[in-house]
Amino acid sequence: MKRLLYLLLVLILIASCKSHQAVVLKSNSTTVKYPQLIYAEKSKANFANNPKYNAHLSEKIVRKAQSKLDKPYKSGGTTDSGYDCSGFVFSIFSAFDIVVPRSSIEMAKFGTRLKVKDAKKGDLVLFKNNSKQINHVGIIVDVSDDEIKFIHAASRGGVIISTTSESYYNQNIVQINRVIN
């Protein structure tokens, strides 16, 4: 019985893709501590004033994300020692001084929501499974007529590239958000 309860607790922790920690970001000479949920209004100011922002940023973000392929999954993780889905997206964008929310739920409220047909490289792709709220996020790496390929941190397999042609992701895709133009 004790094992069953332990297993159930572990599954619950893995099922939700968000961290319960505060996030500390260092930008220029200032350290800013954000609570677990970073709202778009706070993040947009940092994003809009980013000196690295340019037309090729989405390609750079995708290349950076692909450099993390095969890194392990770790609930609450934001480093190469292990990532959860939102921690992975958060750390990739942070590498370009772009502050995005730390949880997949808040990422769904961040940026510009798009129709699936308008998805492009570097956009966020968000999912929900049996839950009523978004609980998974990835970064789009390629778009063709009938599928979207995206990189994400999966609880089974770590950082991998998946596609919406896989039935699980096809059935659970909820929205696309553009964080960069």
Side-chain angles (χ1 to χ4, degrees):
M1 184 66 177
K2 218 176 198 183
R3 274 187 173 169
L4 183 61
L5 288 173
Y6 177 76
L7 181 61
L8 184 59
L9 178 63
V10 169
L11 288 174
I12 290 171
L13 289 173
I14 291 174
S16 179
C17 188
K18 65 180 180 181
S19 173
H20 296 287
Q21 303 168 345
V23 177
V24 177
L25 297 172
K26 292 183 180 178
S27 176
N28 299 334
S29 62
T30 319
T31 300
V32 181
K33 187 171 181 178
Y34 289 92
Q36 171 191 343
L37 304 178
I38 303 169
Y39 293 93
E41 292 76 27
K42 290 181 181 176
S43 301
K44 281 182 183 173
N46 179 285
F47 175 68
N49 296 322
N50 184 344
K52 295 181 184 177
Y53 179 74
N54 63 54
H56 302 289
L57 187 55
S58 63
E59 186 63 42
K60 290 178 182 180
I61 286 171
V62 168
R63 279 198 306 269
K64 177 76 170 174
Q66 289 173 326
S67 75
K68 306 298 182 181
L69 279 169
D70 299 321
K71 296 297 181 191
Y73 177 86
K74 181 180 178 186
S75 181
T78 59
T79 67
D80 283 354
S81 65
Y83 295 97
D84 68 12
C85 67
S86 58
F88 174 70
V89 171
F90 175 85
S91 70
I92 296 301
F93 280 87
S94 292
F96 296 92
D97 296 326
I98 299 170
V99 178
V100 297
R102 176 56 186 89
S103 74
S104 55
I105 296 166
E106 289 301 311
M107 285 181 191
K109 301 173 190 173
F110 186 78
T112 304
R113 190 171 178 172
L114 305 170
K115 295 178 182 175
V116 173
K117 70 178 182 69
D118 296 326
K120 293 193 185 304
K121 237 184 218 192
D123 289 341
L124 303 182
V125 58
L126 297 120
F127 302 89
K128 63 180 169 182
N129 52 27
N130 297 329
S131 145
K132 291 183 179 182
Q133 61 188 12
I134 288 173
N135 59 5
H136 195 66
V137 63
I139 301 170
I140 296 174
V141 298
D142 191 40
V143 179
S144 64
D145 291 337
D146 57 346
E147 77 174 335
I148 295 172
K149 291 181 182 174
F150 59 97
I151 189 166
H152 60 121
S155 57
R156 293 185 190 151
V159 178
I160 58 173
I161 293 178
S162 298
T163 174
T164 55
S165 66
E166 298 170 45
S167 64
Y168 176 80
Y169 294 112
N170 192 353
Q171 293 171 7
N172 293 299
I173 187 170
V174 176
Q175 71 188 62
I176 306 293
N177 283 20
R178 179 152 305 144
V179 182
I180 55 179
N181 292 323

